[in-house]
Short mmCIF file of all heavy atoms in Angstrom, two decimals:
data_model
loop_
_atom_site.label_atom_id
_atom_site.label_comp_id
_atom_site.label_asym_id
_atom_site.label_seq_id
_atom_site.Cartn_x
_atom_site.Cartn_y
_atom_site.Cartn_z
N LEU A 1 0.82 -1.17 0.04
CA LEU A 1 -0.03 -0.01 -0.01
C LEU A 1 0.85 1.23 0.01
O LEU A 1 1.96 1.27 0.62
CB LEU A 1 -0.87 0.00 1.24
CG LEU A 1 -1.89 -1.08 1.31
CD1 LEU A 1 -2.59 -1.10 2.67
CD2 LEU A 1 -2.94 -0.99 0.27
N PRO A 2 0.42 2.29 -0.64
CA PRO A 2 1.23 3.50 -0.67
C PRO A 2 1.35 4.18 0.66
O PRO A 2 0.30 4.54 1.25
CB PRO A 2 0.55 4.38 -1.69
CG PRO A 2 -0.36 3.47 -2.45
CD PRO A 2 -0.68 2.36 -1.55
N LEU A 3 2.50 4.37 1.17
CA LEU A 3 2.79 5.13 2.34
C LEU A 3 3.39 6.44 1.88
O LEU A 3 4.50 6.47 1.38
CB LEU A 3 3.73 4.38 3.26
CG LEU A 3 4.23 5.11 4.52
CD1 LEU A 3 3.05 5.40 5.43
CD2 LEU A 3 5.22 4.28 5.24
N HIS A 4 2.56 7.48 1.82
CA HIS A 4 2.95 8.74 1.20
C HIS A 4 3.98 9.49 1.98
O HIS A 4 4.88 10.10 1.42
CB HIS A 4 1.74 9.65 0.88
CG HIS A 4 0.94 9.09 -0.25
ND1 HIS A 4 1.36 9.20 -1.58
CD2 HIS A 4 -0.26 8.42 -0.30
CE1 HIS A 4 0.46 8.62 -2.34
NE2 HIS A 4 -0.47 8.14 -1.59
N ASP A 5 3.84 9.62 3.21
CA ASP A 5 4.76 10.42 4.01
C ASP A 5 4.98 9.85 5.39
O ASP A 5 4.10 9.22 5.96
CB ASP A 5 4.20 11.85 4.22
CG ASP A 5 4.24 12.68 2.98
OD1 ASP A 5 5.29 12.76 2.37
OD2 ASP A 5 3.20 13.29 2.64
N ALA A 6 6.18 10.00 5.86
CA ALA A 6 6.50 9.69 7.30
C ALA A 6 7.09 10.97 7.84
O ALA A 6 8.28 11.27 7.62
CB ALA A 6 7.49 8.54 7.37
N LEU A 7 6.32 11.77 8.47
CA LEU A 7 6.70 13.12 8.87
C LEU A 7 7.12 13.14 10.36
O LEU A 7 6.34 12.73 11.18
CB LEU A 7 5.60 14.12 8.66
CG LEU A 7 5.01 14.16 7.23
CD1 LEU A 7 3.72 14.98 7.25
CD2 LEU A 7 6.03 14.73 6.33
N PRO A 8 8.31 13.64 10.67
CA PRO A 8 8.67 13.81 12.08
C PRO A 8 7.91 14.99 12.68
O PRO A 8 7.79 15.99 12.01
CB PRO A 8 10.19 14.07 12.03
CG PRO A 8 10.44 14.56 10.65
CD PRO A 8 9.37 14.01 9.72
N ILE A 9 7.39 14.81 13.82
CA ILE A 9 6.69 15.89 14.49
C ILE A 9 7.29 16.00 15.88
O ILE A 9 8.34 15.42 16.16
CB ILE A 9 5.17 15.74 14.51
CG1 ILE A 9 4.78 14.41 15.15
CG2 ILE A 9 4.61 15.79 13.12
CD1 ILE A 9 3.28 14.32 15.29
N SER A 10 6.69 16.71 16.76
CA SER A 10 7.30 17.06 18.07
C SER A 10 7.77 15.83 18.85
O SER A 10 7.22 14.77 18.87
CB SER A 10 6.23 17.81 18.92
OG SER A 10 5.20 17.01 19.25
N GLU A 11 8.95 16.02 19.49
CA GLU A 11 9.54 15.10 20.41
C GLU A 11 9.73 13.70 19.84
O GLU A 11 9.53 12.72 20.51
CB GLU A 11 8.67 15.02 21.71
CG GLU A 11 8.62 16.39 22.41
CD GLU A 11 7.84 16.35 23.71
OE1 GLU A 11 7.65 15.26 24.26
OE2 GLU A 11 7.37 17.41 24.12
N GLY A 12 10.15 13.59 18.61
CA GLY A 12 10.51 12.36 18.01
C GLY A 12 9.35 11.52 17.51
O GLY A 12 9.58 10.38 17.03
N GLN A 13 8.15 11.99 17.57
CA GLN A 13 7.07 11.20 17.08
C GLN A 13 6.99 11.23 15.55
O GLN A 13 7.47 12.22 14.91
CB GLN A 13 5.72 11.77 17.64
CG GLN A 13 5.57 11.59 19.14
CD GLN A 13 4.27 12.23 19.62
OE1 GLN A 13 3.76 13.13 19.05
NE2 GLN A 13 3.81 11.69 20.76
N ILE A 14 6.40 10.20 14.93
CA ILE A 14 6.29 10.10 13.53
C ILE A 14 4.83 10.01 13.11
O ILE A 14 4.07 9.23 13.72
CB ILE A 14 7.03 8.85 12.99
CG1 ILE A 14 8.52 8.87 13.31
CG2 ILE A 14 6.79 8.66 11.51
CD1 ILE A 14 9.27 9.96 12.55
N GLN A 15 4.41 10.79 12.12
CA GLN A 15 3.10 10.72 11.56
C GLN A 15 3.16 10.07 10.18
O GLN A 15 3.84 10.59 9.36
CB GLN A 15 2.43 12.08 11.50
CG GLN A 15 1.04 12.05 10.93
CD GLN A 15 0.40 13.42 10.94
OE1 GLN A 15 0.29 14.07 12.00
NE2 GLN A 15 -0.04 13.88 9.82
N LEU A 16 2.40 9.01 9.98
CA LEU A 16 2.34 8.37 8.66
C LEU A 16 1.08 8.79 7.93
O LEU A 16 0.04 8.87 8.54
CB LEU A 16 2.31 6.81 8.81
CG LEU A 16 3.46 6.20 9.69
CD1 LEU A 16 3.22 4.73 9.84
CD2 LEU A 16 4.79 6.52 9.18
N GLN A 17 1.24 9.04 6.66
CA GLN A 17 0.08 9.41 5.78
C GLN A 17 -0.05 8.27 4.75
O GLN A 17 0.92 8.03 3.98
CB GLN A 17 0.32 10.79 5.07
CG GLN A 17 -0.76 11.15 4.14
CD GLN A 17 -2.07 11.54 4.88
OE1 GLN A 17 -1.98 12.17 5.95
NE2 GLN A 17 -3.19 11.16 4.32
N ILE A 18 -1.17 7.57 4.74
CA ILE A 18 -1.41 6.44 3.90
C ILE A 18 -2.62 6.68 3.00
O ILE A 18 -3.64 7.20 3.41
CB ILE A 18 -1.61 5.17 4.77
CG1 ILE A 18 -0.44 4.96 5.67
CG2 ILE A 18 -1.89 3.96 3.88
CD1 ILE A 18 -0.70 5.18 7.10
N SER A 19 -2.52 6.28 1.73
CA SER A 19 -3.65 6.31 0.83
C SER A 19 -4.02 4.85 0.46
O SER A 19 -3.15 4.08 0.09
CB SER A 19 -3.32 7.05 -0.50
OG SER A 19 -3.07 8.39 -0.23
N ALA A 20 -5.32 4.53 0.62
CA ALA A 20 -5.79 3.23 0.38
C ALA A 20 -7.27 3.19 0.21
O ALA A 20 -7.97 4.15 0.67
CB ALA A 20 -5.36 2.27 1.45
N ASP A 21 -7.81 2.16 -0.34
CA ASP A 21 -9.26 2.00 -0.38
C ASP A 21 -9.80 1.73 0.97
O ASP A 21 -9.09 1.28 1.87
CB ASP A 21 -9.64 0.82 -1.29
CG ASP A 21 -9.30 1.08 -2.73
OD1 ASP A 21 -9.32 2.23 -3.15
OD2 ASP A 21 -9.06 0.07 -3.45
N PRO A 22 -11.10 2.04 1.24
CA PRO A 22 -11.68 1.73 2.54
C PRO A 22 -11.52 0.26 2.85
O PRO A 22 -11.59 -0.60 1.96
CB PRO A 22 -13.17 2.11 2.37
CG PRO A 22 -13.14 3.15 1.30
CD PRO A 22 -12.03 2.76 0.35
N GLY A 23 -11.27 -0.01 4.12
CA GLY A 23 -11.06 -1.40 4.54
C GLY A 23 -10.43 -1.49 5.89
O GLY A 23 -10.30 -0.49 6.61
N GLN A 24 -9.94 -2.69 6.22
CA GLN A 24 -9.29 -2.93 7.52
C GLN A 24 -7.77 -3.09 7.28
O GLN A 24 -7.35 -3.81 6.41
CB GLN A 24 -9.85 -4.17 8.16
CG GLN A 24 -9.40 -4.29 9.64
CD GLN A 24 -10.16 -5.43 10.32
OE1 GLN A 24 -10.90 -6.13 9.74
NE2 GLN A 24 -9.85 -5.59 11.61
N TYR A 25 -6.97 -2.35 8.09
CA TYR A 25 -5.52 -2.28 7.87
C TYR A 25 -4.80 -2.47 9.18
O TYR A 25 -5.29 -2.17 10.29
CB TYR A 25 -5.14 -0.96 7.29
CG TYR A 25 -5.69 -0.74 5.84
CD1 TYR A 25 -6.95 -0.14 5.70
CD2 TYR A 25 -5.05 -1.25 4.80
CE1 TYR A 25 -7.48 0.00 4.45
CE2 TYR A 25 -5.58 -1.11 3.51
CZ TYR A 25 -6.76 -0.48 3.36
OH TYR A 25 -7.34 -0.32 2.13
N ALA A 26 -3.52 -2.90 9.08
CA ALA A 26 -2.64 -3.01 10.19
C ALA A 26 -1.41 -2.17 9.87
O ALA A 26 -0.88 -2.20 8.75
CB ALA A 26 -2.23 -4.46 10.48
N ILE A 27 -0.96 -1.44 10.85
CA ILE A 27 0.34 -0.70 10.74
C ILE A 27 1.36 -1.55 11.55
O ILE A 27 1.13 -1.92 12.71
CB ILE A 27 0.27 0.69 11.49
CG1 ILE A 27 -0.89 1.53 10.85
CG2 ILE A 27 1.60 1.43 11.39
CD1 ILE A 27 -0.63 2.03 9.49
N GLU A 28 2.48 -1.83 10.86
CA GLU A 28 3.54 -2.61 11.49
C GLU A 28 4.86 -1.92 11.41
O GLU A 28 5.09 -1.06 10.60
CB GLU A 28 3.64 -3.97 10.74
CG GLU A 28 2.33 -4.79 10.81
CD GLU A 28 2.42 -6.10 10.03
OE1 GLU A 28 3.18 -6.16 9.05
OE2 GLU A 28 1.67 -7.02 10.37
N ALA A 29 5.75 -2.27 12.38
CA ALA A 29 7.09 -1.65 12.44
C ALA A 29 8.13 -2.70 12.67
O ALA A 29 7.87 -3.77 13.23
CB ALA A 29 7.14 -0.60 13.57
N SER A 30 9.35 -2.39 12.22
CA SER A 30 10.48 -3.30 12.38
C SER A 30 11.77 -2.47 12.52
O SER A 30 11.88 -1.41 11.92
CB SER A 30 10.57 -4.21 11.10
OG SER A 30 11.76 -4.98 11.15
N THR A 31 12.71 -2.99 13.19
CA THR A 31 13.98 -2.36 13.30
C THR A 31 14.99 -3.01 12.36
O THR A 31 16.10 -2.46 12.12
CB THR A 31 14.60 -2.43 14.69
OG1 THR A 31 14.69 -3.77 15.11
CG2 THR A 31 13.72 -1.65 15.67
N ASN A 32 14.67 -4.17 11.74
CA ASN A 32 15.60 -4.95 10.96
C ASN A 32 15.05 -5.48 9.59
O ASN A 32 15.71 -6.19 8.93
CB ASN A 32 16.11 -6.15 11.76
CG ASN A 32 15.04 -7.07 12.22
OD1 ASN A 32 13.95 -7.06 11.72
ND2 ASN A 32 15.39 -7.92 13.18
N LEU A 33 13.79 -5.12 9.30
CA LEU A 33 13.11 -5.58 8.10
C LEU A 33 12.87 -7.06 8.05
O LEU A 33 12.45 -7.60 7.03
CB LEU A 33 13.83 -5.11 6.83
CG LEU A 33 13.92 -3.62 6.54
CD1 LEU A 33 14.80 -3.32 5.33
CD2 LEU A 33 12.51 -3.05 6.34
N SER A 34 13.12 -7.75 9.12
CA SER A 34 12.90 -9.16 9.19
C SER A 34 11.76 -9.54 10.18
O SER A 34 10.89 -10.31 9.83
CB SER A 34 14.19 -9.88 9.63
OG SER A 34 13.98 -11.23 9.70
N SER A 35 11.80 -8.98 11.35
CA SER A 35 10.74 -9.17 12.38
C SER A 35 9.88 -7.95 12.46
O SER A 35 10.34 -6.84 12.65
CB SER A 35 11.43 -9.39 13.72
OG SER A 35 12.26 -10.55 13.66
N TRP A 36 8.58 -8.20 12.28
CA TRP A 36 7.61 -7.09 12.24
C TRP A 36 6.63 -7.26 13.44
O TRP A 36 6.22 -8.33 13.83
CB TRP A 36 6.79 -7.10 10.95
CG TRP A 36 7.64 -6.77 9.81
CD1 TRP A 36 8.38 -7.62 9.05
CD2 TRP A 36 7.90 -5.44 9.27
NE1 TRP A 36 9.04 -6.93 8.04
CE2 TRP A 36 8.80 -5.59 8.19
CE3 TRP A 36 7.41 -4.20 9.63
CZ2 TRP A 36 9.24 -4.51 7.44
CZ3 TRP A 36 7.90 -3.13 8.91
CH2 TRP A 36 8.78 -3.27 7.82
N ALA A 37 6.30 -6.08 14.02
CA ALA A 37 5.35 -6.07 15.15
C ALA A 37 4.19 -5.16 14.81
O ALA A 37 4.41 -4.03 14.20
CB ALA A 37 6.04 -5.53 16.40
N GLU A 38 2.96 -5.59 15.07
CA GLU A 38 1.81 -4.78 14.81
C GLU A 38 1.66 -3.67 15.81
O GLU A 38 1.71 -3.94 17.06
CB GLU A 38 0.55 -5.65 14.81
CG GLU A 38 -0.66 -4.88 14.39
CD GLU A 38 -1.89 -5.74 14.26
OE1 GLU A 38 -1.93 -6.66 13.35
OE2 GLU A 38 -2.81 -5.58 15.05
N LEU A 39 1.59 -2.42 15.36
CA LEU A 39 1.45 -1.28 16.22
C LEU A 39 -0.02 -0.95 16.50
O LEU A 39 -0.43 -0.47 17.56
CB LEU A 39 2.15 -0.03 15.70
CG LEU A 39 3.59 -0.17 15.39
CD1 LEU A 39 4.14 1.14 14.73
CD2 LEU A 39 4.36 -0.44 16.65
N SER A 40 -0.83 -1.17 15.41
CA SER A 40 -2.24 -0.78 15.49
C SER A 40 -2.93 -1.47 14.34
O SER A 40 -2.37 -1.78 13.30
CB SER A 40 -2.38 0.72 15.43
OG SER A 40 -3.78 1.07 15.50
N ASN A 41 -4.29 -1.61 14.48
CA ASN A 41 -5.13 -2.04 13.36
C ASN A 41 -6.45 -1.28 13.46
O ASN A 41 -6.89 -0.95 14.61
CB ASN A 41 -5.31 -3.53 13.29
CG ASN A 41 -6.05 -4.13 14.42
OD1 ASN A 41 -7.22 -3.84 14.64
ND2 ASN A 41 -5.43 -4.98 15.18
N PHE A 42 -7.06 -1.03 12.35
CA PHE A 42 -8.27 -0.24 12.35
C PHE A 42 -8.99 -0.32 11.02
O PHE A 42 -8.41 -0.87 10.04
CB PHE A 42 -7.96 1.25 12.65
CG PHE A 42 -6.79 1.76 11.90
CD1 PHE A 42 -6.99 2.30 10.63
CD2 PHE A 42 -5.51 1.72 12.44
CE1 PHE A 42 -5.85 2.77 9.91
CE2 PHE A 42 -4.39 2.21 11.72
CZ PHE A 42 -4.61 2.71 10.48
N THR A 43 -10.22 0.08 10.98
CA THR A 43 -11.03 0.16 9.72
C THR A 43 -11.18 1.58 9.24
O THR A 43 -11.42 2.46 10.06
CB THR A 43 -12.43 -0.47 10.03
OG1 THR A 43 -12.25 -1.76 10.47
CG2 THR A 43 -13.30 -0.50 8.77
N THR A 44 -10.95 1.71 7.94
CA THR A 44 -11.11 3.08 7.36
C THR A 44 -12.35 3.16 6.48
O THR A 44 -12.77 2.15 5.90
CB THR A 44 -9.85 3.45 6.55
OG1 THR A 44 -9.82 2.60 5.42
CG2 THR A 44 -8.57 3.34 7.38
N THR A 45 -12.84 4.35 6.32
CA THR A 45 -13.98 4.57 5.45
C THR A 45 -13.62 5.51 4.30
O THR A 45 -14.40 5.64 3.36
CB THR A 45 -15.17 5.09 6.22
OG1 THR A 45 -14.82 6.33 6.87
CG2 THR A 45 -15.69 4.12 7.27
N GLY A 46 -12.50 6.18 4.42
CA GLY A 46 -12.07 7.13 3.37
C GLY A 46 -10.93 6.59 2.53
O GLY A 46 -10.50 5.46 2.72
N SER A 47 -10.39 7.39 1.66
CA SER A 47 -9.31 6.98 0.76
C SER A 47 -7.92 7.27 1.32
O SER A 47 -6.94 6.87 0.74
CB SER A 47 -9.49 7.64 -0.62
OG SER A 47 -9.37 9.08 -0.47
N SER A 48 -7.85 7.96 2.46
CA SER A 48 -6.55 8.19 3.09
C SER A 48 -6.75 8.22 4.61
O SER A 48 -7.83 8.49 5.09
CB SER A 48 -5.92 9.46 2.56
OG SER A 48 -6.61 10.59 2.97
N PHE A 49 -5.68 7.94 5.31
CA PHE A 49 -5.72 8.00 6.77
C PHE A 49 -4.33 8.28 7.32
O PHE A 49 -3.34 8.15 6.62
CB PHE A 49 -6.33 6.71 7.35
CG PHE A 49 -5.65 5.41 6.88
CD1 PHE A 49 -4.64 4.81 7.71
CD2 PHE A 49 -6.03 4.79 5.74
CE1 PHE A 49 -4.05 3.69 7.32
CE2 PHE A 49 -5.43 3.62 5.34
CZ PHE A 49 -4.45 3.03 6.14
N GLN A 50 -4.28 8.60 8.58
CA GLN A 50 -3.03 8.95 9.27
C GLN A 50 -2.87 8.07 10.45
O GLN A 50 -3.83 7.66 11.11
CB GLN A 50 -3.01 10.41 9.67
CG GLN A 50 -3.06 11.40 8.59
CD GLN A 50 -3.13 12.79 9.07
OE1 GLN A 50 -3.52 13.08 10.17
NE2 GLN A 50 -2.81 13.75 8.18
N TYR A 51 -1.60 7.84 10.77
CA TYR A 51 -1.29 7.09 12.05
C TYR A 51 -0.17 7.85 12.70
O TYR A 51 0.83 8.23 12.09
CB TYR A 51 -0.84 5.68 11.77
CG TYR A 51 -0.34 4.99 12.97
CD1 TYR A 51 -1.21 4.53 13.93
CD2 TYR A 51 1.00 4.81 13.19
CE1 TYR A 51 -0.79 3.89 15.09
CE2 TYR A 51 1.52 4.21 14.34
CZ TYR A 51 0.63 3.78 15.26
OH TYR A 51 1.05 3.14 16.41
N LEU A 52 -0.36 8.11 13.98
CA LEU A 52 0.69 8.79 14.75
C LEU A 52 1.37 7.78 15.67
O LEU A 52 0.78 7.13 16.55
CB LEU A 52 0.08 9.89 15.66
CG LEU A 52 1.06 10.61 16.57
CD1 LEU A 52 2.09 11.39 15.77
CD2 LEU A 52 0.27 11.58 17.52
N ASP A 53 2.67 7.57 15.44
CA ASP A 53 3.46 6.63 16.24
C ASP A 53 3.92 7.33 17.50
O ASP A 53 4.73 8.28 17.42
CB ASP A 53 4.65 6.14 15.52
CG ASP A 53 5.43 5.05 16.25
OD1 ASP A 53 5.09 4.76 17.43
OD2 ASP A 53 6.35 4.47 15.64
N PRO A 54 3.40 6.99 18.71
CA PRO A 54 3.76 7.74 19.91
C PRO A 54 5.12 7.42 20.44
O PRO A 54 5.56 8.12 21.32
CB PRO A 54 2.60 7.30 20.86
CG PRO A 54 2.29 5.91 20.41
CD PRO A 54 2.44 5.94 18.92
N GLN A 55 5.78 6.39 19.98
CA GLN A 55 7.10 6.06 20.40
C GLN A 55 8.06 7.14 20.02
O GLN A 55 8.02 7.61 18.86
CB GLN A 55 7.58 4.70 19.86
CG GLN A 55 6.75 3.53 20.30
CD GLN A 55 6.86 3.33 21.81
OE1 GLN A 55 7.87 3.42 22.39
NE2 GLN A 55 5.75 2.95 22.44
N THR A 56 8.94 7.55 20.87
CA THR A 56 9.89 8.59 20.56
C THR A 56 11.28 8.08 20.37
O THR A 56 11.72 7.15 20.95
CB THR A 56 9.89 9.69 21.68
OG1 THR A 56 10.28 9.01 22.88
CG2 THR A 56 8.53 10.30 21.83
N ASN A 57 11.95 8.72 19.41
CA ASN A 57 13.42 8.52 19.19
C ASN A 57 13.72 7.09 18.83
O ASN A 57 14.80 6.57 19.22
CB ASN A 57 14.19 8.98 20.34
CG ASN A 57 13.98 10.46 20.61
OD1 ASN A 57 13.86 11.26 19.69
ND2 ASN A 57 13.79 10.83 21.86
N LEU A 58 12.84 6.38 18.13
CA LEU A 58 13.18 5.03 17.64
C LEU A 58 13.44 5.06 16.17
O LEU A 58 12.75 5.72 15.42
CB LEU A 58 12.02 4.08 17.95
CG LEU A 58 11.70 3.81 19.39
CD1 LEU A 58 10.45 2.85 19.46
CD2 LEU A 58 12.84 3.16 20.12
N GLN A 59 14.49 4.40 15.75
CA GLN A 59 14.73 4.24 14.30
C GLN A 59 14.14 2.94 13.85
O GLN A 59 14.59 1.87 14.30
CB GLN A 59 16.23 4.30 14.00
CG GLN A 59 16.86 5.63 14.30
CD GLN A 59 18.28 5.67 13.88
OE1 GLN A 59 18.94 4.68 13.60
NE2 GLN A 59 18.84 6.90 13.89
N ARG A 60 13.08 3.00 13.01
CA ARG A 60 12.49 1.79 12.55
C ARG A 60 11.79 1.99 11.20
O ARG A 60 11.55 3.13 10.78
CB ARG A 60 11.54 1.16 13.57
CG ARG A 60 10.40 2.09 14.06
CD ARG A 60 9.75 1.37 15.18
NE ARG A 60 8.65 2.18 15.78
CZ ARG A 60 7.90 1.78 16.76
NH1 ARG A 60 8.07 0.53 17.25
NH2 ARG A 60 6.97 2.54 17.34
N TYR A 61 11.45 0.88 10.60
CA TYR A 61 10.80 0.85 9.29
C TYR A 61 9.28 0.60 9.56
O TYR A 61 8.90 -0.02 10.59
CB TYR A 61 11.31 -0.25 8.42
CG TYR A 61 12.81 -0.15 8.17
CD1 TYR A 61 13.73 -0.83 8.97
CD2 TYR A 61 13.24 0.62 7.11
CE1 TYR A 61 15.04 -0.71 8.72
CE2 TYR A 61 14.63 0.77 6.89
CZ TYR A 61 15.51 0.07 7.71
OH TYR A 61 16.86 0.16 7.48
N TYR A 62 8.43 1.07 8.66
CA TYR A 62 6.99 0.90 8.72
C TYR A 62 6.44 0.24 7.51
O TYR A 62 7.01 0.41 6.41
CB TYR A 62 6.30 2.25 8.88
CG TYR A 62 6.68 2.99 10.14
CD1 TYR A 62 7.73 3.93 10.14
CD2 TYR A 62 6.00 2.80 11.33
CE1 TYR A 62 8.06 4.64 11.28
CE2 TYR A 62 6.32 3.48 12.49
CZ TYR A 62 7.38 4.34 12.44
OH TYR A 62 7.71 5.05 13.59
N ARG A 63 5.39 -0.46 7.71
CA ARG A 63 4.61 -1.03 6.55
C ARG A 63 3.14 -1.02 6.92
O ARG A 63 2.81 -1.13 8.07
CB ARG A 63 5.12 -2.34 6.06
CG ARG A 63 4.79 -3.51 7.03
CD ARG A 63 5.29 -4.79 6.47
NE ARG A 63 5.04 -5.95 7.34
CZ ARG A 63 5.47 -7.15 7.12
NH1 ARG A 63 6.28 -7.41 6.15
NH2 ARG A 63 5.13 -8.13 7.98
N VAL A 64 2.29 -1.02 5.91
CA VAL A 64 0.86 -1.09 6.09
C VAL A 64 0.40 -2.30 5.38
O VAL A 64 0.77 -2.57 4.20
CB VAL A 64 0.15 0.21 5.47
CG1 VAL A 64 -1.33 0.07 5.65
CG2 VAL A 64 0.71 1.45 6.07
N ARG A 65 -0.42 -3.09 6.05
CA ARG A 65 -0.89 -4.32 5.53
C ARG A 65 -2.44 -4.36 5.58
O ARG A 65 -3.00 -4.02 6.61
CB ARG A 65 -0.33 -5.49 6.36
CG ARG A 65 -0.73 -6.86 5.96
CD ARG A 65 0.00 -7.89 6.84
NE ARG A 65 -0.22 -7.74 8.26
CZ ARG A 65 -1.28 -8.18 8.93
NH1 ARG A 65 -2.27 -8.81 8.32
NH2 ARG A 65 -1.37 -7.98 10.22
N GLN A 66 -3.05 -4.74 4.44
CA GLN A 66 -4.52 -4.92 4.46
C GLN A 66 -4.86 -6.20 5.17
O GLN A 66 -4.26 -7.25 4.83
CB GLN A 66 -5.13 -4.80 3.07
CG GLN A 66 -6.61 -4.74 3.09
CD GLN A 66 -7.16 -4.41 1.77
OE1 GLN A 66 -6.50 -4.52 0.74
NE2 GLN A 66 -8.46 -4.01 1.73
N ILE A 67 -5.86 -6.17 6.06
CA ILE A 67 -6.30 -7.36 6.72
C ILE A 67 -7.44 -7.94 5.90
O ILE A 67 -8.47 -7.21 5.71
CB ILE A 67 -6.69 -7.00 8.20
CG1 ILE A 67 -5.54 -6.43 8.94
CG2 ILE A 67 -7.28 -8.28 8.84
CD1 ILE A 67 -5.87 -5.91 10.29
N PRO A 68 -7.36 -9.21 5.47
CA PRO A 68 -8.47 -9.82 4.78
C PRO A 68 -9.77 -9.82 5.63
O PRO A 68 -9.72 -10.11 6.81
CB PRO A 68 -8.03 -11.23 4.47
CG PRO A 68 -6.55 -11.20 4.67
CD PRO A 68 -6.29 -10.09 5.68
N GLN A 69 -10.87 -9.62 4.94
CA GLN A 69 -12.15 -9.65 5.69
C GLN A 69 -12.91 -10.88 5.43
O GLN A 69 -12.84 -11.52 4.45
CB GLN A 69 -12.96 -8.46 5.27
CG GLN A 69 -12.31 -7.16 5.72
CD GLN A 69 -13.19 -5.96 5.42
OE1 GLN A 69 -14.36 -6.06 5.14
NE2 GLN A 69 -12.64 -4.79 5.50
#
């Protein structure tokens, strides 16, 4: 899925901007691109959504995965 932006905001937090069809999605993060942990999952009704990662000062990768219904 297209992850359009990963914007740093105050105190090391990251805001992700994602464009996707309405549905159910999981946001996952990894420090090594091998092991992934789910940070959140939710259902969207619009064509784009945002996720704010509250963890501060962590260097990690993100991915968005659609959850089959």
Side-chain angles (χ1 to χ4, degrees):
L1 296 172
L3 176 61
H4 286 287
D5 288 310
L7 304 170
I9 57 174
S10 66
E11 299 180 21
Q13 295 177 333
I14 298 290
Q15 178 176 304
L16 306 177
Q17 178 71 37
I18 302 109
S19 292
D21 292 331
Q24 191 171 4
Y25 296 92
I27 305 288
E28 299 176 333
S30 173
T31 58
N32 59 16
L33 294 175
S34 180
S35 299
W36 292 89
E38 187 174 292
L39 301 177
S40 182
N41 66 63
F42 45 89
T43 301
T44 66
T45 57
S47 61
S48 67
F49 54 95
Q50 296 176 342
Y51 172 75
L52 177 63
D53 186 355
Q55 296 295 320
T56 58
N57 302 319
L58 295 177
Q59 292 184 350
R60 57 186 176 180
Y61 302 94
Y62 296 93
R63 71 180 180 187
V64 180
R65 179 177 57 84
Q66 187 169 18
I67 299 171
Q69 297 184 14

